[in-house]
Amino acid sequence: MLPDDGTFDDTDLRDDGTNDNNDDSETHNTRQDIEARAQGQRGCVVVPYPDPRAGQTTSRLSPDQSANVTYGAQLVDAENEENLYYPFASKIEWEVARWAKLRGSSSTAFTDLLSIDGVSERLGLSFKNANELNKLIDHELPTGRPKFKREQVVVAGEAFDVYYRDIIKCVKSLYGDPDFARYLTFAPERHYADDDETVRLFHDMHTGKLWWDTQKKLDAHHPGGTIVPIIISSDKTQVTMFRNKTAYPVYLTIGNIPKELRRKPSSGSHILLAYLPTTRLEHITNKASRRRAIANLYHACLRRVLAPLIPAGTEGISMRSGDGARRRCHLIFASFVGDYPEQLLTTGVKFGECPKCDVDAKDTGSNTTQFHLRKLSEVLDALAAFDDGNLAFVRACAAAGIKPVIHPFWEDLPFANIFRAITPDILHQLYQGLIKHLLAWLSAACGGAEIDARCRRLPPNHHIRLFTKGITCLSRVSGTEHAQICRFILGIIIDIRLPNNLNAGRLLRAVRGLLDFLYLAQYPCHSSETLHSLDEALDLFHQNKDIFIQLGIRNNFNLPKLHAARHYHLMITLFGTTDNYNTEYTERLHIDLAKDAYRATNHKDEFIQMTRWLERKEKILRHQKFVSWCLAGGHHFEPYHSRPPDMTFRREQVMTKHPTVKAVSFQKMVEDYGATHFREALARYIVHKRRGDHSVPLRDRELDLLAGDIHFPFNRLPVFHKIKWCSIDTGGVTKGHDTLDSVHAKPRQKLGSRLIHRRSDTAFIRLGEDSVINDLKGFSVGQVRVIFSLPPKSLQLLFPPTVNIPPHLAYIEWFTPFPSAPDRNNGLYKLSRLMRGGDRVSSIVPVGDIMRSIHLILKFGDSAPREWTSETVLEDCNVFWVNSYIDRYNFSIFR
């Protein structure tokens, strides 16, 4: 039971549901069960592929043939066999070389550093400048990844340079990377959330239907093969700020690597496959002819790069994974990752149409129009008409619904269907597409001034960025900024007045539907049930979208990016969840593999220098893995078994070792921290702990009498200003100790003549140790005023020796219990201050019962009161909405 303040018992914080709709409560509980199953909390049943030969090794695993052992055999130091850093003479020489290539400045600056008298000698370096270091890397370090080669591709009588690598060697380098060896997946599986195998789970690519179906097709001709799904992404990017210099990188990864690794650029799970020509062909004056020539150039280059996949997909090749095991691998082009222009360029579909299906451009705004994926056989027949003459070719392509592209790169790839391979794009389709449109519509409907005024008055939270100048005046808004805006946009338009006094209920439902779709689409694990919820969220938007037409903001919703949302359900069942193929990852790769590479050149014949710079960097990274393996004693890890990922990182609560302030008086707690009834609440907490698990609760008057007899052996306490939750290494594929959440409890203070307001964050607090996370009755929201600890010497004076007192406590001011169900229109829970006798109800709780931060959005009414500020709104406002969109985990709890 939660320690109370003597004026209420814990039933004040537990809602009985008598005033709410029981049907809505049952709906919420059903959703929570669905969420629990989707996260594998009800267990996970793994059904392996029926043919045990799929993914099996063709030779026995031999540690002597592992990637690191093979790499070490290429390094020979006859003079000093104990030198782990060879070809570098010593550890410090290796560290300097690694710094120079991974963290250092330009080659000129590094040469200038080593030219300082005595630097090279005192460090004992064998190289005196950057050129000597480069020669050492080029000639002495083994090649971890294949080198680039430059070839010319002729299109329309003109030759263009393409820089690319052997794709087979690239795949082998990823497949054989020792860091990935224990994580690789070799055969498809079906995962279920129940023993009856009725609720299927989708997360990593091997749990999707496509891998399973392709394995069946492969087994019909070559049983016992291992499929290596090839994931290709391309995107032109600008590498300079002002000179309009661009690069056109093509990236490669494989679906055998878990998505938790592929989504981290630092893991090295993507490899730069090629730099395509960036020419604009401005000498071709006819725009249609120019666009056609650019498309043919793109496909001619990629056809050259991907041509080795044709025999490798059908016949297979022998490949060795990082642990030394050999398998017959079939390299199958599985998915293409790119934004809408790249999708159109790849498929040859016209602008405004869907690159995947046959829906008419005028029907892309409908949620009911029937559609089918484009038929690859019809498109291939049209492409074959190229031999019949130009006119026949153009007509055949037009009839098939594509542009006349000469031999697209996917034409002959085995088991490939380019229209199926186009995957959802969270960044460009949703954040930079639909959300961008939505914000413009809301600005027009609600007024930019009122939206900005409400943005400026949001209370602070770890997950919330405060846009102090509003959001409607922003220009060139990034995907990250759109994601930050999505965390509060629904809450700030509640109660806002619409033109002509239109009912805002439909507006709220339309916005909620789109936000729910956005958040559901990003689930790291989906079930057949949550995919139904995904469809329901999209339907909710379509059922209410006409409000924007009534407001005169839109005439129609024929947006290809809106139509693309209808494909998400199918694509997730085929390829796994959307974090398997997010363009955000390749956008980040542009920095490491294009922009940084360009900055390392002298900007003349830059692509030759860029590829050489990248090759040296990759050699250093490969040698770093070998050195780390040697220092670890050549340890071999057990295989990793993929399971459905949770909605959040595993986290642990962290407190600083020492208090922020060593001694704060009770008076300061009241005046500066706002802990009005701190002394009384602490006395009642002591009485409660002294009684232990007494079966007969005290009446209010009895508790007050006992609390009045408490005498504190102190008048000051150590105080902490922050609680943090950090990620922990679960022994899986992710590592790190990042701060995932925090709650602040800071006092007001003066900085010169300026008064800095106190910050008292709100938190999600457990009411008992038996509380279950998907049952809100066991939790409540409170405002954390003071975080403190009791002096160890005083514990024996205040408590019996059998009583265990937590090391950290917090003074909490409570809000009303969660209602049985959220609001019907906005989907949020409505709370207010919990009052008794005109005072805010408060108590002392263990910090361990504080589960995470909670963000409350104010009930603004028709317009935001101008006297409210972000620092004081929690004191000025009495009614709030629980913001369920601050992260995906809160969304799954409160939706």
Side-chain angles (χ1 to χ4, degrees):
M1 178 183 293
L2 178 73
D4 59 51
D5 70 351
T7 61
F8 72 109
D9 58 33
D10 71 331
T11 57
D12 287 288
L13 295 177
R14 297 179 187 268
D15 182 59
D16 59 8
T18 56
N19 296 323
D20 296 278
N21 191 309
N22 290 330
D23 291 339
D24 289 345
S25 177
E26 291 177 3
T27 299
H28 175 76
N29 291 336
T30 301
R31 285 177 176 172
Q32 290 304 302
D33 289 338
I34 291 174
E35 298 287 347
R37 284 192 289 271
Q39 298 178 42
Q41 295 178 12
R42 301 288 191 267
C44 177
V45 177
V46 177
V47 177
Y49 187 74
D51 189 342
R53 294 174 295 176
Q56 289 300 304
T57 59
T58 57
S59 63
R60 297 182 62 183
L61 189 149
S62 173
D64 294 337
Q65 295 179 330
S66 66
N68 279 316
V69 173
T70 304
Y71 179 89
Q74 301 177 60
L75 298 170
V76 180
D77 184 8
E79 298 180 359
N80 185 5
E81 296 182 356
E82 297 181 358
N83 180 16
L84 301 179
Y85 307 97
Y86 185 83
F88 301 97
S90 63
K91 178 181 179 181
I92 193 169
E93 181 172 294
W94 155 243
E95 295 288 355
V96 170
R98 185 177 65 169
W99 172 84
K101 292 303 174 185
L102 302 184
R103 303 290 184 185
S105 53
S106 66
S107 296
T108 302
F110 181 64
T111 298
D112 290 344
L113 173 66
L114 296 187
S115 65
I116 298 175
D117 189 30
V119 169
S120 182
E121 290 76 10
R122 293 197 177 190
L123 293 176
L125 304 181
S126 62
F127 45 84
K128 308 299 181 183
N129 51 53
N131 287 335
E132 293 183 7
L133 173 60
N134 289 337
K135 290 180 180 179
L136 179 64
I137 296 172
D138 292 341
H139 301 299
E140 299 297 334
L141 281 183
T143 301
R145 291 183 172 179
K147 292 185 176 182
F148 283 89
K149 51 187 175 182
R150 180 176 66 172
E151 290 190 9
Q152 288 190 334
V153 174
V154 179
V155 173
E158 188 173 354
F160 301 92
D161 289 335
V162 55
Y163 296 81
Y164 71 100
R165 292 161 146 165
D166 186 325
I167 189 172
I168 303 299
K169 293 181 179 179
C170 288
V171 173
K172 285 184 175 181
S173 69
L174 289 174
Y175 184 86
D177 193 306
D179 285 0
F180 302 152
R182 66 184 293 241
Y183 303 117
L184 292 181
T185 302
F186 304 106
E189 295 175 343
R190 287 175 177 168
H191 289 192
Y192 295 92
D194 59 333
D195 293 333
D196 296 332
E197 299 180 8
T198 59
V199 180
R200 187 165 176 181
L201 300 176
F202 304 94
H203 47 96
D204 270 292
M205 188 170 279
H206 73 285
T207 64
K209 295 181 179 180
L210 180 70
W211 196 330
W212 188 287
D213 294 341
T214 307
Q215 187 76 51
K216 289 174 62 177
K217 294 177 182 177
L218 179 65
D219 287 351
H221 304 284
H222 300 280
T226 299
I227 289 179
V228 179
I230 304 298
I231 304 173
I232 297 292
S233 57
S234 66
D235 184 28
K236 187 180 292 186
T237 184
Q238 191 166 314
V239 295
T240 58
M241 291 292 291
F242 306 108
R243 295 177 55 201
N244 203 26
K245 190 71 176 180
T246 58
Y248 206 155
V250 179
Y251 303 110
L252 163 75
T253 187
I254 56 176
N256 311 82
I257 302 174
K259 62 181 183 177
E260 283 80 4
L261 285 172
R262 282 188 277 117
R263 70 186 183 190
K264 296 178 63 177
S266 60
S267 68
S269 55
H270 287 78
I271 187 168
L272 179 64
L273 180 61
Y275 284 124
L276 303 183
T278 59
T279 177
R280 297 181 180 179
L281 301 180
E282 293 178 346
H283 65 283
I284 302 177
T285 56
N286 184 277
K287 292 184 178 180
S289 299
R290 185 191 307 159
R291 286 194 296 267
R292 181 175 176 179
I294 289 175
N296 286 328
L297 174 61
Y298 172 83
H299 283 277
C301 292
L302 276 185
R303 187 177 180 86
R304 176 76 60 86
V305 174
L306 302 183
L309 292 182
I310 298 175
T314 53
E315 301 300 325
I317 56 175
S318 177
M319 295 203 313
R320 192 191 302 275
S321 54
D323 57 5
R326 281 195 176 275
R327 292 174 176 85
R328 190 185 80 246
C329 297
H330 294 258
L331 281 53
I332 308 297
F333 174 72
S335 67
F336 177 85
V337 180
D339 57 16
Y340 183 64
E342 290 292 313
Q343 293 174 358
L344 296 182
L345 182 62
T346 300
T347 57
V349 175
K350 297 177 182 178
F351 183 82
E353 298 182 354
C354 176
K356 293 184 66 66
C357 72
D358 57 2
V359 69
D360 289 336
K362 61 181 178 60
D363 293 326
T364 52
S366 170
N367 198 38
T368 57
T369 301
Q370 296 295 317
F371 63 84
H372 303 88
L373 288 183
R374 296 179 185 270
K375 295 182 178 179
L376 180 64
S377 58
E378 294 181 358
V379 173
L380 293 177
D381 290 342
L383 294 174
F386 176 72
D387 297 332
D388 299 334
N390 189 55
L391 182 59
F393 177 59
V394 171
R395 288 177 176 175
C397 289
I402 64 169
K403 296 178 182 179
V405 179
I406 301 173
H407 297 308
F409 71 84
W410 39 264
E411 184 178 20
D412 298 321
L413 295 179
F415 304 103
N417 183 335
I418 190 60
F419 306 111
R420 183 185 59 197
I422 298 295
T423 52
D425 178 10
I426 295 291
L427 175 61
H428 298 98
Q429 289 174 351
L430 299 187
Y431 282 121
Q432 297 291 66
L434 298 185
I435 297 303
K436 181 180 179 179
H437 288 304
L438 178 66
L439 295 179
W441 302 340
L442 292 178
S443 179
C446 306
E450 180 62 25
I451 288 180
D452 290 343
R454 296 182 178 215
C455 287
R456 291 192 290 267
R457 287 160 177 80
L458 290 174
N461 178 271
H462 176 88
H463 301 281
I464 297 296
R465 173 182 170 182
L466 297 177
F467 291 85
T468 56
K469 295 183 180 181
I471 59 175
T472 61
C473 59
L474 297 175
S475 60
R476 299 180 63 85
V477 185
S478 66
T480 300
E481 289 171 324
H482 277 136
Q484 292 163 342
I485 294 171
C486 286
R487 295 175 184 175
F488 58 77
I489 189 63
L490 175 62
I492 65 174
I493 64 171
I494 299 174
D495 297 330
I496 208 163
R497 185 180 299 169
L498 295 181
N500 302 321
N501 291 322
L502 287 174
N503 189 337
R506 296 181 66 193
L507 177 70
L508 293 174
R509 291 194 295 272
V511 174
R512 175 162 67 96
L514 206 52
L515 289 178
D516 284 359
F517 181 87
L518 170 68
Y519 278 67
L520 285 163
Q522 297 178 82
Y523 270 22
C525 181
H526 264 291
S527 68
S528 48
E529 296 171 318
T530 58
L531 288 173
H532 180 67
S533 300
L534 183 75
D535 294 335
E536 288 181 332
L538 188 59
D539 290 340
L540 182 62
F541 169 77
H542 281 282
Q543 291 163 6
N544 295 277
K545 66 186 178 184
D546 285 348
I547 184 65
F548 296 109
I549 295 179
Q550 294 178 7
L551 290 167
I553 297 171
R554 295 288 305 182
N555 295 321
N556 60 69
F557 291 88
N558 294 330
L559 304 169
K561 293 180 180 180
L562 176 59
H563 167 77
R566 298 185 66 187
H567 292 296
Y568 276 52
H569 184 144
L570 175 62
M571 292 300 101
I572 290 171
T573 62
L574 289 178
F575 295 101
T577 47
T578 56
D579 51 355
N580 278 286
Y581 34 79
N582 195 337
T583 54
E584 288 184 18
Y585 312 151
T586 52
E587 291 284 344
R588 177 61 181 82
L589 291 172
H590 287 337
I591 298 175
D592 297 332
L593 305 182
K595 298 180 181 182
D596 286 351
Y598 180 78
R599 295 188 190 104
T601 70
N602 62 7
H603 306 164
K604 298 177 181 179
D605 293 327
E606 61 273 5
F607 286 107
I608 296 177
Q609 299 176 62
M610 291 166 66
T611 54
R612 190 174 299 144
W613 175 87
L614 181 60
E615 289 169 358
R616 289 167 179 159
K617 181 178 179 179
E618 289 173 342
K619 282 189 173 185
I620 290 293
L621 288 171
R622 179 63 186 92
H623 196 64
Q624 179 176 275
K625 293 179 181 180
F626 174 73
V627 170
S628 299
W629 177 76
C630 290
L631 293 175
H635 182 65
H636 295 277
F637 296 97
E638 293 298 320
Y640 167 81
H641 298 286
S642 174
R643 290 189 56 82
D646 200 350
M647 287 299 296
T648 181
F649 294 104
R650 290 288 303 276
R651 59 177 65 197
E652 62 178 349
Q653 193 179 77
V654 177
M655 298 292 297
T656 56
K657 184 177 181 180
H658 302 289
T660 310
V661 183
K662 291 183 178 180
V664 177
S665 66
F666 289 173
Q667 183 178 358
K668 286 286 187 182
M669 290 185 184
V670 174
E671 295 175 354
D672 295 343
Y673 290 83
T676 308
H677 303 291
F678 180 82
R679 183 186 292 270
E680 296 84 352
L682 181 57
R684 291 171 185 131
Y685 175 78
I686 293 172
V687 171
H688 176 80
K689 296 300 291 184
R690 283 179 175 179
R691 287 174 55 82
D693 298 329
H694 205 284
S695 59
V696 180
L698 290 174
R699 296 181 179 179
D700 295 343
R701 186 172 300 177
E702 295 173 332
L703 183 58
D704 285 337
L705 289 174
L706 291 174
D709 294 334
I710 297 294
H711 297 283
F712 301 117
F714 47 76
N715 56 16
R716 297 172 182 270
L717 290 173
V719 168
F720 302 80
H721 286 175
K722 184 164 66 172
I723 307 170
K724 292 196 305 183
W725 287 266
C726 297
S727 60
I728 57 177
D729 180 12
T730 61
V733 298
T734 56
K735 297 181 180 180
H737 202 69
D738 301 325
T739 300
L740 303 178
D741 197 4
S742 64
V743 168
H744 296 258
K746 297 179 178 179
R748 68 179 184 184
Q749 52 185 320
K750 277 194 172 183
L751 188 62
S753 59
R754 186 165 63 96
L755 177 66
I756 300 178
H757 294 276
R758 70 173 66 98
R759 177 174 173 180
S760 303
D761 287 354
T762 48
F764 188 58
I765 303 172
R766 181 176 60 187
L767 299 181
E769 294 183 358
D770 57 344
S771 299
V772 181
I773 195 65
N774 61 352
D775 184 2
L776 294 180
K777 293 180 180 179
F779 298 84
S780 192
V781 174
Q783 187 175 16
V784 183
R785 292 290 190 180
V786 179
I787 307 163
F788 65 97
S789 60
L790 297 176
K793 294 181 179 180
S794 67
L795 296 181
Q796 57 186 353
L797 302 176
L798 294 173
F799 304 99
T802 56
V803 175
N804 184 25
I805 302 300
H808 301 97
L809 302 170
Y811 174 86
I812 304 294
E813 290 182 352
W814 295 100
F815 291 81
T816 52
F818 288 103
S820 297
D823 183 85
R824 288 182 179 274
N825 287 325
N826 59 51
L828 305 182
Y829 286 92
K830 189 176 181 179
L831 303 179
S832 59
R833 291 281 185 179
L834 186 61
M835 307 293 289
R836 186 60 56 88
D839 288 332
R840 295 177 179 177
V841 174
S842 57
S843 65
I844 304 295
V845 303
V847 166
D849 286 343
I850 301 177
M851 309 307 295
R852 59 183 57 248
S853 70
I854 281 286
H855 188 240
L856 299 182
I857 295 182
L858 325 172
K859 192 177 189 303
F860 287 101
D862 289 344
S863 62
R866 295 306 183 251
E867 65 272 14
W868 287 1
T869 65
S870 177
E871 295 85 0
T872 62
V873 286
L874 289 177
E875 311 303 323
D876 298 333
C877 183
N878 293 317
V879 182
F880 306 87
W881 299 100
V882 177
N883 187 356
S884 59
Y885 293 98
I886 58 174
D887 62 13
R888 292 198 298 270
Y889 187 75
N890 277 276
F891 173 78
S892 69
I893 294 176
F894 295 117
R895 81 177 187 91

